[in-house]
Amino acid sequence: MTPHVALLVILCLVHCDTKTVLQDKLAGVRTVDVQAVEGMVAQFPCDLGTAANDKVYMVFWFRDDAGIPLYSFDVRGKHLSEARHWSAPEVFGPRAHFSTSPPPASLLVRDVKRRDEGVYRCRIDFRNTQTTSFRYNLTVVVPPEKPVVVDRWGRVINTTTLGPHEEGDDVLLTCRVLGGRPEPSVRWLVNGVLVDEEYEHNTGDVIENRLLWPAIRRADYAAVFTCQAANSHLVPPKELSLVLDMFLRPLTVEIRKPSEIGEGGVLTAERRYEVACESAGSRPPALITWHKGKRQLKRITEELRDNLTVSVMSFVPTLDDDGKPLTCRAENPNVTSLFLETSWVISVVYPPVVRLRLGSSLAAGDIKEGDDVYFECHVRANPAVRKLSWLHDDKPLAHNATARVFHSNQSLVLQKVTRYSSGRYACSALNAEGETVSNELHFRVKYAPSCRSGGVSVVGAARGESVVIVCEVDADPPAAVFKWKFNNSGETLDVAADRYTSNGSASSLKYTPVADLDYGTLSCSASNEVGTQLAPCVFQMVAAGKPHAPRNCTLWNQTADSVEVSCVPGFDGGLPQRFLLEVYSGDDDIPRVNITSDEPSWTVRGLEWDVRFRLSAVAVNSKGRSLPAHLDDVLFRDPEKRTASESALGAGAAGAASAGAAGAGAALALLACACRAARRRRAPHAKPPTKPPAPRADKPEHDDAEPDLIPNNYCESSTVPARTTPTSISAPLTVPMTAPLVVPLTTPLATPVSTWAPRSASGTLRTADLNVDSIKEKLLDNRIPESCV
């Protein structure tokens, strides 16, 4: 900008400002008082929304009635956010900023100085509306300095603690405050309550307030004396707080008698007692000393609990202590004249002193089952003992000749002890002064091993499956040697020692059955230094595997929102089984509902209407899950949407299903007949086939227990190769396993029937014996899956 143009702008501003001053005077613009704390922010509001329908052109800030602006905000041709700011460097400079958001717009001046005091004016020029002005009178507040407190001798208190003082002292404090504009008020507060607000000037800018707090009492302990200096509500008052500390005498002293004292407060001679003395109220905590007669006792322990001092004195009274006083004295360690004391005159008697020992001729570590032992109870009492009793594991042990338990004077005799005789023994003696239980004697009886779990344990395993069998025994001392044997009703074999591991209380054997002869009875026995286990632990090995799928599953009693499902259980795999019903919707792979049951019977409720659900029944045992048995899809219809035509449609569908089932039955019968014919045509071999088992009396010869599976007794030999009987099992118990062919109806064959390889001549069916294509065609005509072949 050229100098001529700048001069023209200044003249215009001066002219415009002179005009504005006249308008302000005519309009009587009100002056608003504004306060700001030195070093903080001052805020001058200047609302730009006074002309709602007009546009702001310029905003000027002036000091007093000066015609030259100290800050300008140029909005001409721009948006408010793009306006041009200018601040006079000799006035506010970068400390000032005109902010339009949030409304109302304000001029913010940071780090306010004392020289910033004065009258300021804001002028807003609009495009069409008359110019608007605001006037502010700024007062800068100077906070006072932090108060200083001095004591009665003029010493400055530099800590936060006042004292310590003794009860009855007078507390004199003077609070001094320097500076502050306007002049601050200085006042005293005690525990937050105003107690003195009369202050006076001293030399210069010093203001003082003197507080006298006479004859302090115990209730004044920890009182907070606060001096405050304030001259504006814009900043918190400057203050200094002191906490009163005091020396306090004990308020109470009390002897806590031991709970073991006898009737009438008597003590038992030659018995250690712990007597407690408690003192409260002393500041600092009281120092406690003990005396028995004229002799000071030293065996004491002391602890602090909040405002309570507890001293515990441990001593053993004798007969000579009868009638002597026990004295407890509590005193303030800083003021010896502040003390309290109390005494207790003791009376000494004594109940029985009892000690239990094992018979002197016995060795505690060499007692085993069948030995005779005795205990001796040594008693010292005054007056004499009138009753002696025995305890075994905290239970009374009475005289019982049948159980071979005898009481004799001060002895206990046990004949033919067993393992159950082990435990904690004690004797109890009673006289006129009380009853005393002796020390506990831990008695140990050694015994030979015995099986921890009684009875025969059943272990299920499939052929080729490895199971770990754990044999646990109960013995004292722990078993040193374990031995395993196997019996299959035809032979008894010793298991090699390298086939199992032992750790003292248990032995683990990893066993893998690979043939029918590997199923039988496993037994283990252990021995220790006492002897050998009499009855071994027995494990019955049974053939086990995953269960077969439930069969003949039906849906019945279907309502608008429920249906009942029932199946016939399949083979359980040799182990207990449970049954699971899974309900799927649409093409989901995750079931919507899982229902478990001990029997293959379920009730499904609460499913949505008009959604088709798929149901699968599964059997589960410890070996895993069976193949699923799929049921018909279930659809719950809205009762209000059903029509009469649906009933007729359902009947037709039932007829079609009956026809399909009849076709499937015919195909299965044809397949069974073909299998019989093929077996009759097979030539004899060197080794005749094993004789099939006799049919059950309550079941036809060919009635299948698993109708969902093709019976393998038509097409599979039941013969098992002969097994060489070794003298001991030292080689690994794993050989390849030949499983019978089982084809579920629900699973399609992975290999076409025409590609099956002929079986060996031991009785299996050959492909050449059947017209496979003919059977396959009939099955497909009746919608039977190819897997039925």
Side-chain angles (χ1 to χ4, degrees), residues 330-348:
E331 61 182 342
N332 190 305
N334 295 323
V335 185
T336 56
S337 60
L338 302 179
F339 71 89
L340 286 178
E341 66 180 16
T342 185
S343 297
W344 170 38
V345 178
I346 60 176
S347 299
V348 181

Side-chain angles (χ1 to χ4, degrees), residues 718-746:
S718 62
T719 61
V720 179
R723 183 176 184 272
T724 304
T725 304
T727 58
S728 65
I729 304 176
S730 58
L733 301 177
T734 57
V735 297
M737 181 186 68
T738 304
L741 174 64
V742 180
V743 183
L745 283 174
T746 57

Side-chain angles (χ1 to χ4, degrees), residues 166-417:
E166 296 184 20
E167 292 184 61
D169 288 351
D170 295 336
V171 175
L172 180 62
L173 301 173
T174 302
C175 180
R176 294 175 181 173
V177 178
L178 178 63
R181 191 169 64 92
E183 180 181 282
S185 61
V186 180
R187 57 183 187 172
W188 279 100
L189 297 90
V190 178
N191 294 328
V193 178
L194 179 64
V195 295
D196 187 358
E197 57 181 348
E198 295 182 2
Y199 57 90
E200 59 184 10
H201 282 282
N202 203 334
T203 59
D205 294 337
V206 177
I207 300 176
E208 292 184 349
N209 187 336
R210 181 172 297 179
L211 172 68
L212 174 61
W213 199 257
I216 58 174
R217 301 169 299 167
R218 174 180 291 270
D220 295 325
Y221 168 69
V224 180
F225 290 76
T226 304
C227 174
Q228 284 186 351
N231 63 349
S232 173
H233 67 279
L234 297 178
V235 290
K238 297 293 183 66
E239 64 180 32
L240 177 64
S241 296
L242 300 173
V243 179
L244 178 62
D245 189 13
M246 297 178 63
F247 289 139
L248 303 175
R249 64 187 296 270
L251 288 179
T252 62
V253 60
E254 181 180 2
I255 294 179
R256 298 287 185 182
K257 298 178 182 180
S259 59
E260 301 89 350
I261 62 175
E263 183 179 355
V266 296
L267 299 180
T268 302
E270 306 303 329
R271 182 175 179 182
R272 183 166 296 281
Y273 288 91
E274 291 186 346
V275 185
C277 180
E278 298 179 355
S279 176
S282 177
R283 173 72 183 177
L287 177 64
I288 296 179
T289 55
W290 287 89
H291 295 79
K292 185 173 66 173
K294 296 181 179 180
R295 183 169 64 91
Q296 184 174 350
L297 303 178
K298 300 294 185 180
R299 195 184 182 98
I300 60 175
T301 59
E302 193 170 290
E303 65 174 309
L304 300 177
R305 304 173 186 170
D306 297 331
N307 191 33
L308 187 69
T309 304
V310 180
S311 176
V312 179
M313 186 268 296
S314 177
F315 80 112
V316 178
T318 65
L319 295 178
D320 296 335
D321 293 331
D322 186 29
K324 289 184 178 180
L326 274 180
T327 302
C328 171
R329 176 177 177 140
E331 61 182 342
N332 190 305
N334 295 323
V335 185
T336 56
S337 60
L338 302 179
F339 71 89
L340 286 178
E341 66 180 16
T342 185
S343 297
W344 170 38
V345 178
I346 60 176
S347 299
V348 181
V349 294
Y350 63 97
V353 178
V354 188
R355 183 168 183 80
L356 178 64
R357 296 176 182 173
L358 188 64
S360 56
S361 61
L362 299 176
D366 294 334
I367 299 174
K368 58 184 182 299
E369 283 187 321
D371 292 347
D372 295 339
V373 299
Y374 68 98
F375 301 90
E376 296 176 344
C377 186
H378 299 271
V379 181
R380 178 186 171 195
N382 184 26
V385 172
R386 67 187 184 191
K387 181 181 179 181
L388 183 68
S389 56
W390 295 87
L391 301 174
H392 179 209
D393 289 337
D394 299 328
K395 296 180 180 178
L397 186 62
H399 182 94
N400 189 343
T402 304
R404 299 188 177 92
V405 178
F406 302 95
H407 294 178
S408 176
N409 293 330
Q410 294 182 198
S411 299
L412 171 68
V413 179
L414 303 178
Q415 294 181 343
K416 305 292 184 184
V417 294

Side-chain angles (χ1 to χ4, degrees), residues 628-702:
H630 298 296
L631 290 84
D632 295 338
D633 293 351
V634 177
L635 180 66
F636 296 99
R637 290 293 181 87
D638 187 347
E640 297 180 358
K641 296 181 180 180
R642 293 185 178 178
T643 61
S645 61
E646 293 182 359
S647 300
L649 180 59
S658 299
L668 291 175
L670 177 60
L671 177 61
C673 293
C675 289
R676 293 196 194 98
R679 295 186 64 180
R680 288 194 295 267
R681 289 198 298 270
R682 283 197 293 270
H685 297 277
K687 183 177 180 181
T690 303
K691 182 179 179 180
R696 290 168 51 184
D698 58 345
K699 190 173 182 180
E701 180 180 356
H702 300 298

Side-chain angles (χ1 to χ4, degrees), residues 741 743-744 747-756 786-788:
L741 174 64
V743 183
T747 306
L749 292 176
T751 306
V753 176
S754 59
T755 62
W756 287 1
E786 186 178 333
S787 62
C788 293

Side-chain angles (χ1 to χ4, degrees), residues 484-486 493-500 509 522 728-729:
W484 286 81
K485 292 185 179 181
F486 174 76
L493 306 175
D494 291 330
V495 180
D498 59 352
R499 300 299 309 282
Y500 54 87
L509 170 66
L522 281 166
S728 65
I729 304 176

